[in-house]
Amino acid sequence: MVYGESGGGTGTGIDRRTAAKSAVAAAALLLAGGGGGGIAQARTADGITLRLPAPTGPHRIGVTTLYLVDRSRRDPWDESVPVREVMATVFYPARTVAGRPVARQMTAGAAERFRQIDVLVHHLPPTGVNWAATTTHAHRDAPAQPVRRPVLLYSPGGGDPRTLGTTVAEELASHGHVVVTVDHPGDASEVELPRGIRETVLRGDPRTDPQLFRTAIGTRIADLRFVLDRLEALAAGRNPDALGHALPADLGRALDLRRVGVYGHSAGGTAAAEAMYEDRRIGAAVNLEGYLDQAPQRSGEPGELFPVARHGADRPLLLLGTEGFEHRGELERSWSAVLARSGGRARRAQLDGAAHWVFADYAAMAPQLQAAGLMTAEARRDLVGAVDPAVSVPAVRNAVRSFFARHLRG
């Protein structure tokens, strides 16, 4: 794994030697957690069970789910819904995990829809995998450490559920962050709301429909800012859950909202960078291969730059891409614009040997599917690249973690 660096005359602090060292140090943990492609998988009548890499930090992790309702907005994707509903998962350093069960990556209902929807989009095996059986390393509703921690929001890729960001979120939480992964209902492939499963309205690539793309990104930005509003209520001692579900002890006391970052993948990366530009509460952002321009109105013409690219970032911004992204040429215009106009505050890096979905849990899952004979080598390369997960997983985790550790010191 090699990182190319540029931006503002200095790099991201990640080089060939650091990446190699991280890969060697993390390999044993990844193999123990199931990140390696050659691991024998548990098989049942429902299919194999995929494993997520173990986090490497010193803290045990708690996790809880928030159902948040924004009554100031109508749902942009469904005219029959008069409010905007958002689901969020909070990962945090736990005081103790005694008696608290480990959470599953997906609920049974969401996993069933995932099997029907996501497998078609990403050429995953339609059978042979028990998607509901994958466990996380986080314990449900464990009491939080009553220590103020930096808060990070995560927005997943376009059409993806927040659950596919578990690997990085757990790593960040194990190293002392509170991480809030955000679903965007109507955009995400499937979201389990209190009233049932809601499926995506997206069909195909939103970049081919300028108005659809504009709505998707605008909604994501508004969702992130709304979640941050509700976290302020939580930190002030109120319960932001719309149904008033009991929250883990001391969760509000774990939030340091003077240190807020946001990161996202693909469309989530677009939203992360622009949300930081629009909201002064956000101190740093990571864009994992997201465009910084609107979809072009006509084929062959450039799209309108988002304000963050048009005017530049005035707070730290990391642009992290992959060698294998097929639309690198389209990405270059907007990334070059923000790099040129940010006075060194924006930097970029590249993961060689990787492809676009290496930033999601697929980085660990796809090699396991290939090893089990459920995914071809070509499909794995298209999804995450040929890079070994013992290299790619720590590389992505370390890039995001070191960036926020440097820029959200306090």
Side-chain angles (χ1 to χ4, degrees):
M1 173 68 64
V2 178
Y3 282 82
E5 306 168 0
S6 65
T10 57
T12 61
I14 308 166
D15 56 22
R16 182 194 301 263
R17 183 171 52 194
T18 302
K21 183 177 179 182
S22 297
V24 172
L29 284 169
L30 284 168
L31 292 174
I39 296 176
Q41 298 299 320
R43 291 180 180 269
T44 68
D46 296 321
I48 67 168
T49 297
L50 301 178
R51 301 176 184 173
L52 299 179
T56 66
H59 300 288
R60 302 296 294 272
I61 307 169
V63 65
T64 196
T65 301
L66 298 176
Y67 169 55
L68 306 174
V69 176
D70 186 352
R71 302 189 184 282
S72 70
R73 287 187 293 155
R74 296 188 67 88
D75 189 274
W77 305 114
D78 187 344
E79 294 180 353
S80 68
V81 182
V83 296
R84 177 59 176 167
E85 300 169 291
V86 176
M87 296 300 298
T89 297
V90 186
F91 297 87
Y92 53 90
R95 185 173 75 245
T96 177
V97 296
R100 302 290 178 170
V102 174
R104 296 291 177 96
Q105 181 191 26
M106 305 180 198
T107 65
E112 177 60 23
R113 295 300 200 283
F114 182 91
R115 186 181 65 80
Q116 297 171 5
I117 299 171
D118 296 70
V119 298
L120 300 176
V121 176
H122 296 305
H123 305 290
L124 304 174
T127 60
V129 182
N130 185 352
W131 297 103
T134 299
T135 58
T136 70
H137 303 87
H139 297 258
R140 292 204 303 266
D141 296 322
Q145 296 178 16
V147 178
R148 298 291 183 187
R149 306 283 187 179
V151 176
L152 304 176
L153 306 182
Y154 169 71
S155 180
D160 285 345
R162 72 190 190 278
T163 50
L164 288 178
T166 299
T167 296
V168 173
E170 289 192 325
E171 176 73 357
L172 294 168
S174 78
H175 284 275
H177 294 81
V178 175
V179 184
V180 184
T181 62
V182 180
D183 253 334
H184 306 283
D187 178 332
S189 52
E190 67 284 324
V191 180
E192 183 152 8
L193 297 161
R195 57 186 175 84
I197 299 288
R198 181 170 175 185
E199 297 182 4
T200 183
V201 303
L202 301 182
R203 299 292 183 269
D205 183 0
R207 290 285 292 184
T208 62
D209 185 329
Q211 185 55 50
L212 187 71
F213 185 78
R214 189 178 296 271
T215 298
I217 301 302
T219 301
R220 284 168 170 263
I221 294 169
D223 287 346
L224 290 171
R225 300 185 68 179
F226 166 64
V227 169
L228 190 50
D229 291 341
R230 303 313 296 145
L231 293 177
E232 289 179 339
L234 177 58
R238 301 191 296 275
N239 186 347
D241 188 273
L243 295 180
H245 289 152
L247 299 181
D250 292 323
L251 183 60
R253 297 177 63 190
L255 306 177
D256 185 354
L257 295 177
R258 299 166 300 175
R259 294 183 287 167
V260 175
V262 59
Y263 67 105
H265 173 223
S266 198
T270 306
E274 185 60 25
M276 182 182 72
Y277 180 86
E278 296 181 15
D279 197 319
R280 301 299 306 181
R281 296 174 294 180
I282 300 172
V286 176
N287 173 358
L288 303 171
E289 208 154 63
Y291 298 98
L292 292 178
D293 59 359
Q294 297 283 0
Q297 293 292 328
R298 285 175 287 277
S299 178
E301 295 185 359
E304 176 189 1
L305 292 174
F306 280 99
V308 67
R310 195 162 62 242
H311 304 296
D314 64 357
R315 280 149 286 160
L317 172 63
L318 173 62
L319 308 174
L320 186 55
T322 64
E323 179 185 30
F325 184 41
E326 62 179 324
H327 301 295
R328 286 173 62 194
E330 298 173 38
L331 199 70
E332 184 60 33
R333 172 177 171 265
S334 62
W335 278 27
S336 295
V338 73
L339 288 166
R341 295 164 184 167
S342 298
R345 288 173 292 272
R347 301 178 180 184
R348 74 183 297 174
Q350 177 175 295
L351 282 71
D352 290 349
H356 187 60
W357 274 275
V358 76
F359 299 115
D361 291 345
Y362 291 128
M365 290 176 158
Q368 294 177 65
L369 293 172
Q370 182 187 359
L374 296 172
M375 174 177 276
T376 66
E378 181 182 8
R380 178 250 180 97
R381 285 195 301 270
D382 289 345
L383 191 64
V384 300
V387 61
D388 193 297
V391 175
S392 64
V393 170
V396 172
R397 283 172 157 183
N398 291 345
V400 176
R401 180 168 59 86
S402 62
F403 175 82
F404 285 125
R406 185 161 59 250
H407 296 296
L408 297 178
R409 290 182 181 275

